[in-house]
Every structure is written in C-alpha cells, then in structure tokens.
Amino acid sequence: MASAALIGALRERRGVTAALMIAATLGGLLAGCAATSTADLTVWVAGDCNMVLPDTPPALESDVFSAAQQRVTLAAAINETVACQIVLSTEHAAAGPFDLRVSDLSGASGTLTAADSITLYRVHTVRVENFRSWYPDHAARPAIGTDFPDILVPWQAPHGGGPISLRRDRNELIWLDLRVPPTTEPGTYTGRIQLLSPSAPQQPREMTIALQVMPVAIPDERGLPLICRIDPRDLLSEHLRWPASTAEDTIVLPSEPTHNEAARLLDATMQLFHAHRADPVLWACFPKYRPATDREVDVSWGDYDALVGGWIDGSAYPDRVATACWPLPASVDYPSAQRNGGIDSPRYAAALGGYLRACVAHFEERGWLERAIVR
C-alpha cells in the first residue's frame, strides 16, 4: 500500500489514504449462533487513512457512523474512489473462516453495482524489528517489533485472499474500495455489508453502507501528480517465488510464456495505484542490449515496450490517462559501471552515453520523451 501525508488535503488522492474515520461494533446482532461465528466477535470499520495495528482497540463512534442505526456514511465526488478498513477480532483462540459480501448500492439516481464499484482486499502485515530514533515520539508507540499492515491481496485471489480466519486478540483487516464511475449522478446510494460464517450461512451479520455522491466531478487528468515508485522484486518474490535479484537483473518478458504470471501481477499492481489517482512508475525491468560499436549499443525494445508501453501512454488503463512521468530504463548500474572498467572509466562513459542516446531516440520515436525522467 502507498501512503502520503498530503492526501488528507487532496481529496482526489483519497482512494489510497483518505480522510474518513469510521468505526462500529456489530457484536450481539444475532443470537443463538455458534460461538466461533458470533460470540465475542467484534467487527468495526476504520477510515482508509488510519493505521490499524493488530492491537489497535476498537473505535466505536465517529461522526460518520451511527451505532444506533448501524449505518456508515461515506462521501465522494464523481469519478473518485473512497475506501475503508473492516476490522475483525475475537477473544477466542480461533474463529472463522469468515466471508464478506457487499451488495449493490441503490438510490433515486440509479445503482452502483458491486461488480463495477466494489473491490475487496485481504490486508497482510509485514514485521518491522528495527526503528529509527525518531519513531517513538513521532508514532507515540514503543520501538518494539510490530506487524504493520502493508500488503493488499485481492479477496478472490487463490492464495492470500479470503475468506479470513481469526486468532485471539488480534485484529484482521479487510480493505474495501468503493469507486464512483464518472457517469454517476449525484445523490445518496445505500447497500449492505454482510459478514458470513459457514456455521450460519443464512444469518449474516449486516450493516448499512451509505454513499453520498456530491455534485462535483473529479477530472481524469491529475491536477497534481503523485509519483509512486513500484519495485517489483518483492512482489515477484512473495507471490511467484522468484529469486532475489538486483533491479537491473530483474527482467520480465511478456513474450515468454513462463513470465505471463509475472506480467499480470505487475499490471494488477499498476492498475491498483492508477485507480487511486497515483502515478506508478516501474523501478526495475530493463531492456536487453548489446554493444554495437565502441560508442553505440543495440537495444532490444520489443519486450520492454510490450510490458510498459500501455502504462506510459495510458492505453492499459480504463480511463486512458497517461502517466505523468516515466524513468528512462537506465541507472548507474545499467549499463554496469563495474563491468565496464569502473565509474571513471572512458569505456563506461562510452557505454553509458551510447545507451542513453538509444533510450532518448526510442522514447522520442514513441512520443514518450516529454514525460521521460532520469533516476
């Protein structure tokens, strides 16, 4: 997941980290069900900008949630994505698994279908053991080993998605994205969030979700680019068990059938960031090249263009909005300084110069040069 402190002030960025704070408890809605499905089960909802750690206590009231009505109210502009975190915990040793469903949201102005507007993710954590000296005062927490929410896995993914099982006294998170299509009419749209257990499939625990769509439309073009660096190495290692490598040695070839899963994984990541009005840029996956003369190189652009071209010009995204900038596929290690006599070597200078000239010529030919940056 990405985070940015300025998002609270920039509503068009709020799909990734926004400014809503929602909290609710659904305990005791249903009686007579199995203990692992209802008894002592706490369900609450937090805003998408809130850091919910495994030991964060439930927030039971906020100005956007009515505990008496069990109703959550979100607000969004047209063509905006808002989000929230659904938090589950139990006092039992184990509970679940639990599934989550969200209905269509209907109103006088039409319907937001769940298939088009709702996306669910399972939130996974990463363990942090070492902290900077500023952390305790900044976060008001001790600098001890902590699990931080960091990874979103699509709910329907065969590995790492839903349904979700619980451990005693530990929060588990489900991330809910709600997208407002650009053709949506202003008004109030309401639906239901259902938490289901196999032990009581006909008795889901429910809450109302209400979305107020304001008569304001956010344009497709970003007013202020929010550049997010996407390094695919951890993604490929975590999900596809690719071996660890440097950014320069990480190569994804769309023409290679064994790389299809990797290409789909990277595209899903880029799509997620773009949908939240960020500008993701890929920080690895370089094109292959070979020396042609002492000062020129031949670059194999086919696979590189097939992988990144749609992200650069926007053709890979549903809204067709091009990225604000894109790094030339070059670095201090690509071409490698070490393999060309060192960073002060004339041979390295010649190789780097030839490679950069090839990059500039290709980006100019493809119409990408105005958006090109050098890392």
Side-chain angles (χ1 to χ4, degrees):
M1 292 192 294
S3 61
L6 55 78
I7 290 185
L10 300 174
R11 282 190 51 86
E12 68 178 83
R13 302 288 186 248
R14 59 182 295 180
V16 180
T17 51
L20 285 177
M21 173 64 180
I22 315 159
T25 179
L26 300 179
L29 286 178
L30 299 172
C33 298
T36 56
S37 62
T38 60
D40 300 319
L41 177 65
T42 301
V43 181
W44 54 289
V45 182
D48 49 6
C49 67
N50 291 90
M51 178 69 74
V52 180
L53 301 175
D55 60 351
T56 299
L60 303 181
E61 293 292 336
S62 78
D63 58 354
V64 296
F65 178 78
S66 169
Q69 300 177 19
Q70 295 162 9
R71 178 186 178 93
V72 174
T73 302
L74 306 179
I78 299 168
N79 202 26
E80 182 177 17
T81 297
V82 292
C84 61
Q85 303 171 81
I86 300 169
V87 190
L88 285 70
S89 63
T90 182
E91 295 180 1
H92 290 281
F98 298 100
D99 200 2
L100 194 76
R101 297 178 186 172
V102 184
S103 70
D104 296 345
L105 276 65
S106 300
S109 302
T111 298
L112 299 178
T113 63
D116 294 331
S117 295
I118 302 294
T119 309
L120 297 175
Y121 300 91
R122 170 75 182 277
V123 180
H124 290 266
T125 60
V126 295
R127 186 74 176 177
V128 177
E129 297 286 353
N130 299 314
F131 296 84
R132 299 286 187 178
S133 59
W134 53 260
Y135 177 80
D137 289 337
H138 179 79
R141 289 181 58 89
I144 59 176
T146 304
D147 292 329
F148 289 93
D150 185 67
I151 303 169
L152 296 183
V153 177
W155 191 254
Q156 301 301 328
H159 304 290
I164 191 169
S165 296
L166 307 181
R167 291 175 283 170
R168 174 181 293 168
D169 297 330
R170 178 185 172 91
N171 294 326
E172 296 290 346
L173 308 181
I174 302 170
W175 185 277
L176 186 153
D177 266 354
L178 202 170
R179 176 178 177 269
V180 182
T183 57
T184 304
E185 294 292 330
T188 300
Y189 298 79
T190 60
R192 306 291 289 176
I193 298 176
Q194 296 182 325
L195 181 68
L196 302 98
S197 170
S199 62
Q202 303 305 318
Q203 295 179 304
R205 299 176 64 168
E206 296 188 349
M207 64 188 300
T208 299
I209 180 170
L211 174 69
Q212 180 66 40
V213 178
M214 299 176 290
V216 177
I218 295 177
D220 287 334
E221 295 291 340
R222 279 63 166 151
L224 177 65
L226 181 64
I227 310 302
C228 298
R229 188 181 78 170
I230 307 299
D231 190 330
R233 291 175 290 172
D234 287 341
L235 287 170
L236 296 170
S237 174
E238 176 71 23
H239 294 282
L240 301 180
R241 301 297 184 262
W242 278 37
S245 66
T246 66
E248 289 76 14
D249 290 327
T250 300
I251 298 176
V252 177
L253 306 173
S255 63
E256 174 57 53
T258 59
H259 287 201
N260 287 345
E261 282 188 302
R264 286 195 295 267
L265 175 61
L266 297 186
D267 184 65
T269 304
M270 302 292 284
Q271 296 285 348
L272 177 63
F273 276 76
H274 184 87
H276 289 89
R277 306 187 69 81
D279 284 277
V281 296
L282 196 65
W283 214 248
C285 301
F286 293 72
K288 293 182 177 180
Y289 76 96
R290 63 179 180 83
T293 67
D294 290 342
R295 298 181 56 83
E296 303 298 332
V297 299
D298 289 332
V299 182
S300 179
W301 291 108
D303 279 306
Y304 180 82
D305 288 359
L307 180 67
V308 309
W311 303 328
I312 298 177
D313 63 23
S315 61
Y317 299 127
D319 59 12
R320 305 295 179 183
V321 175
T323 189
C325 68
W326 193 264
L328 290 177
S331 75
V332 70
D333 292 316
Y334 202 87
S336 171
Q338 183 178 3
R339 296 172 187 172
N340 286 278
I343 199 165
D344 295 322
S345 166
R347 183 157 61 96
Y348 171 65
L352 178 61
Y355 181 77
L356 287 176
R357 284 192 295 274
C359 288
V360 169
H362 184 73
F363 270 55
E364 185 173 31
E365 179 183 352
R366 294 298 304 264
W368 303 339
L369 191 57
E370 289 187 356
R371 292 192 293 275
I373 61 174
V374 178
R375 66 188 73 202

